[in-house]
Amino acid sequence: MIGKISSFMVRIVNRYLPDPLVFAILLSMIVFVWGYFIVTPKEGSSAVMSMVGFWGDGFWNLLAFTTQMAMIVVTGFALASSEPVKKLLNYIASFAKTPKQGVALVCFFGGLASAINWGFGLVVGALFAKQIARNLKAVDYGLLIACAYIGFMTWGGGLSGSMPLSAADASNIIVKGYLDGNPIPVTETIFTWYNLFVIACLLIFMPILVTYMVPKDPKTVDPKLLAEEPNYQRVLDKDATPALKIEESKLLTYIIVALGTVYLANYFWQKGFTGLNINSVNLIFLLSGMLLHKTPMAYMRAVKTAASSTAGILVQFPFYAAIALMMEDSGLGGVITDFFIDIANKDNYAVWAFFSSAAINFAVPSGGGHWVIQGPFVLDAAKELGADLGKATMAIAYGEQWANMAQPFWALPALAIAGLGVRDIMGYCITALLFSVPIFVIALYFIP
């Protein structure tokens, strides 16, 4: 049955799902029109011009985040192209002897990595899937990359989950404005029995689920997509110029890596594990890549190869920034959340908050932006109903991570690394979305 459902979803996606850029443009139009009917224009302005202003003002709001995501693709790809990492990934991938073992291993590996850090999981999961595809010629490459993305469902409740970490920060604008400055400790969000249940179930049942999605006739993959990255080391002639010798100097690499290592050691000494964020992961990837490539120019040659993979990220993320501000400033995010909250009670509130979060995620697929838009409405209602604030916070996080399986935004880094399109993976991801619903509902409704 699972195989038939996934095959059906793959056919539907291949027929009707547009490219992610077109998806973002269509979503912009939908949010704009919907917002037009509910926005309250400022004095002297019209509803149309208000929405136009929100779109334009928000368009560049994610520039820093866009750069971070481009960097994680580039630094992760460059790190994986080093000889030691290629050997390590190949060794781990060698444990998979059949297509079913391959997809299960990728799903588990991606889920575990995402639970540790979401940026790390996105990149390493895709790179590992690529290595499995090189080893197992009979496996469907699109399914492997989908498995890496399915593993991403653990991130919201993992150690780098942006919503529980934001709720635990007394300086966070939502905590100060809607919780009277009283943060929700991670012992009431991440380190709870219901969250451990969610993480464990995703790590156990999703790898089992994907084994039933393995197609009998896998798609033929372009061999160029699986080509091994070249060795970027350069051997200099004896009469090489001083400039070339400096460029290929290992000493320069060791100096900058030592500087970065001292900084990171001091940084984590002060902040502990909570300091593991996208910036620190990027720096770790960059320094590790430089060290393993040995010379500055060897690393730069690897980066140049990886840079072409960032085109989709650079163009599409600004559209989602514009959509997020239209959702927030028009009041549309509040309207969607209130619809679900109005039919909830103290016992089922977290479940309805979960589904409202999933609905909003299609327009705002960003943990931080999601928290800013939906957090105020969900927390206010939770206080009024006497519901668990920690569980309400995690309901937003779960809804976002679950709905990502039908939203191509976060798949872009993995697709960039794999060289695939969104239609190659989303049918499998939507199947995982359908079968994972009970995990979240059980956790939010039955487990304290």
Side-chain angles (χ1 to χ4, degrees):
M1 182 184 73
I2 296 174
K4 291 182 179 179
I5 292 174
S6 66
S7 296
F8 172 76
M9 289 299 176
V10 169
R11 290 196 300 271
I12 293 296
V13 164
N14 283 336
R15 187 172 180 84
Y16 296 108
L17 184 66
D19 180 86
L21 176 59
V22 176
F23 184 88
I25 292 172
L26 292 174
L27 196 56
S28 299
M29 295 165 61
I30 293 170
V31 172
F32 186 99
V33 173
W34 196 353
Y36 165 79
F37 288 105
I38 65 172
V39 69
T40 302
K42 294 181 180 179
E43 187 176 347
S45 181
S46 65
V48 170
M49 292 311 299
S50 293
M51 293 303 296
V52 169
F54 299 153
W55 185 87
D57 291 343
F59 199 79
W60 301 116
N61 279 355
L62 288 181
L63 272 183
F65 183 65
T66 301
T67 303
Q68 288 171 327
M69 291 309 300
M71 283 296 295
I72 202 167
V73 170
V74 168
T75 57
F77 192 96
L79 173 61
S81 67
S82 67
E83 292 301 312
V85 172
K86 285 194 290 186
K87 290 179 181 178
L88 176 62
L89 290 177
N90 187 47
Y91 172 74
I92 300 174
S94 67
F95 287 98
K97 305 299 183 184
T98 67
K100 288 190 174 184
Q101 291 177 359
V103 297
L105 188 59
V106 169
C107 190
F108 177 81
F109 189 83
L112 186 62
S114 294
I116 296 172
N117 181 269
W118 64 267
F120 178 72
L122 269 179
V123 172
V124 173
L127 292 169
F128 184 61
K130 198 169 186 177
Q131 187 59 53
I132 291 280
R134 292 187 181 113
N135 292 0
L136 300 175
K137 304 302 181 185
V139 70
D140 190 279
Y141 187 37
L143 175 56
L144 280 174
I145 300 302
C147 289
Y149 190 51
I150 290 169
F152 186 57
M153 264 200 286
T154 62
W155 91 272
L159 297 176
S160 66
S162 60
M163 288 180 223
L165 293 182
S166 295
D169 182 2
S171 65
N172 183 268
I173 187 172
I174 304 301
V175 174
K176 289 193 293 184
Y178 297 89
L179 294 175
D180 301 320
N182 299 312
I184 303 171
V186 292
T187 52
E188 297 178 16
T189 53
I190 295 175
F191 299 108
T192 55
W193 286 114
Y194 65 84
N195 188 53
L196 293 176
F197 169 84
V198 168
I199 298 293
C201 285
L202 291 174
L203 289 177
I204 294 171
F205 293 117
M206 289 300 101
I208 295 174
L209 177 72
V210 297
T211 62
Y212 290 94
M213 299 185 198
V214 176
K216 294 180 180 178
D217 299 310
K219 280 186 179 180
T220 302
V221 60
D222 184 350
K224 294 179 181 178
L225 297 179
L226 300 179
E228 291 279 359
E229 288 77 21
N231 188 331
Y232 294 103
Q233 300 296 318
R234 182 176 177 182
V235 179
L236 296 179
D237 297 329
K238 292 182 180 180
D239 58 348
T241 64
L244 288 176
K245 291 180 179 179
I246 293 174
E247 291 174 354
E248 303 299 332
S249 170
K250 295 180 182 179
L251 179 60
L252 292 178
T253 297
Y254 296 153
I255 290 173
I256 203 66
V257 169
L259 175 62
T261 302
V262 171
Y263 166 78
L264 287 171
N266 182 62
Y267 174 81
F268 285 112
W269 176 263
Q270 293 179 3
K271 295 182 177 291
F273 201 78
T274 59
L276 191 63
N277 55 34
I278 190 65
N279 287 331
S280 57
V281 168
N282 272 334
L283 184 55
I284 292 170
F285 278 10
L286 187 147
L287 294 173
S288 301
M290 289 190 72
L291 181 64
L292 295 180
H293 279 288
K294 300 180 182 179
T295 73
M297 292 311 297
Y299 182 70
M300 197 61 202
R301 285 188 283 272
V303 166
K304 285 180 179 179
T305 301
S308 61
S309 301
T310 63
I313 293 170
L314 296 175
V315 173
Q316 293 168 46
F317 276 32
F319 284 92
Y320 283 102
I323 291 169
L325 194 65
M326 286 194 292
M327 287 279 292
E328 181 180 358
D329 286 5
S330 69
L332 180 55
V335 170
I336 295 173
T337 303
D338 286 342
F339 170 80
F340 288 95
I341 288 174
D342 288 344
I343 58 178
N345 57 44
K346 179 181 177 180
D347 296 325
N348 64 20
Y349 175 73
V351 174
W352 286 115
F354 165 78
F355 285 114
S356 71
S357 175
I360 288 177
N361 186 67
F362 283 97
V364 190
S366 164
H370 212 99
W371 173 247
V372 170
I373 292 173
Q374 196 174 16
F377 302 99
V378 170
L379 294 176
D380 270 349
K383 288 191 291 185
E384 185 177 333
L385 293 171
D388 186 326
L389 292 175
K391 186 169 280 190
T393 299
M394 292 308 296
I396 306 174
Y398 292 155
E400 195 271 347
Q401 68 186 52
W402 175 70
N404 280 334
M405 295 301 101
Q407 220 301 355
F409 178 83
W410 287 110
L412 294 177
L415 292 173
I417 290 169
L420 295 179
V422 66
R423 286 187 287 269
D424 294 310
I425 72 166
M426 292 307 291
Y428 301 116
C429 294
I430 293 173
T431 304
L433 176 139
L434 296 175
F435 281 92
S436 60
V437 173
I439 295 173
F440 297 103
V441 172
I442 290 170
L444 291 171
Y445 191 79
F446 293 103
I447 302 177

